[in-house]
Amino acid sequence: MFPAWPSGADASSPSSAVEDRSRYRPTDDSSAYPGKMQAELASVLDLQRFWTNVNTPEMKRRGMIVRGELPNQLRPLVQAHGGRWTVEGRDGTGRKSEIPWVRIFDAELSPSATVGWYVVYLFSADGQSAWLSLNQGTTTWMNGEFQARPLFELNERVQWARRQVGRIPIGSVSAIDLRSQRTGLGPLY
C-alpha cells in the first residue's frame, strides 16, 4: 500500500489541517489533472472531521466528491489502459460510512466491493491520510447487513496476494491505520 496523501496535520486543529494540505491544492487551472484530483482528495480529508452517519451538508458534499468527482477524474486514466477496468466510489448506502473509498476494478473479477481484488483509495476516519491500496472484499452481505469476513480467511488471502506480487516496492507499507474508532470496519482493510 502506498500513502496517497501525507499526514502530519494536527487533528485537533481544523485550521492546521487545512493549512497543511494547502500546498497540495492547485494554483493554476483546477480542471487539470493532477491538480484537480489533489484538491478533491484534500476536500474529502477535510470533510472527514465532520463525519456523522447522517446526510448533513458536509456528508452530502463528501458523497458528491467520492461518488462522482473522483471517479470522473480517474475514468479517463483507467480507460486509456484499455480492458474492462472501471471506477466507483462509495461513502455509504443509507447511512454515511466512516471510511469512504474509490476503487478501480475489473467488473468481471470483482463485480462488487465484497468480491475479488481491486485498487482502492481509502480515506482515514480522522481525515489525516488517504491510502492507495491493493485490497480485497473484507465483508459479505448476510441477513440484511454487511458482516466481516473471518480474520483468518483475510490473512490467508493477503499472504497469497503477497506471494503473487513478489517484492514490495520501496516506499510502500504492509499495513495501514485508518484510525476507525466508531465502526469496526477500518482494521479489516
Side-chain angles (χ1 to χ4, degrees), residues 91-102:
D91 71 325
T93 303
R95 295 180 295 178
K96 296 297 181 174
S97 60
E98 186 179 22
I99 309 292
W101 49 264
V102 177

Side-chain angles (χ1 to χ4, degrees), residues 103-179:
R103 76 182 185 124
I104 301 168
F105 63 102
D106 179 322
E108 197 171 299
L109 300 175
S110 181
S112 78
T114 62
V115 177
W117 292 87
Y118 44 86
V119 174
V120 63
Y121 277 104
L122 296 165
F123 297 90
S124 68
D126 65 1
Q128 293 301 302
S129 57
W131 298 89
L132 181 60
S133 172
L134 173 61
N135 226 302
Q136 63 177 309
T138 60
T139 59
T140 58
W141 185 255
M142 200 180 318
N143 301 322
E145 63 184 9
F146 288 106
Q147 301 288 324
R149 291 182 188 271
L151 197 53
F152 76 88
E153 177 185 329
L154 296 175
N155 285 332
E156 284 178 1
R157 292 179 60 175
V158 166
Q159 294 309 313
W160 171 86
R162 286 185 177 156
R163 286 191 301 274
Q164 302 308 306
V165 170
R167 186 167 174 243
I168 307 239
I170 294 173
S172 62
V173 297
S174 60
I176 59 176
D177 182 1
L178 294 171
R179 298 185 182 112

Side-chain angles (χ1 to χ4, degrees), residues 37-58:
M37 178 124 174
Q38 289 175 337
E40 289 166 351
L41 290 167
S43 293
V44 173
L45 292 172
D46 290 341
L47 290 165
Q48 282 296 90
R49 63 191 165 106
F50 299 105
W51 179 79
T52 176
N53 63 3
V54 179
N55 204 18
T56 62
E58 293 85 2

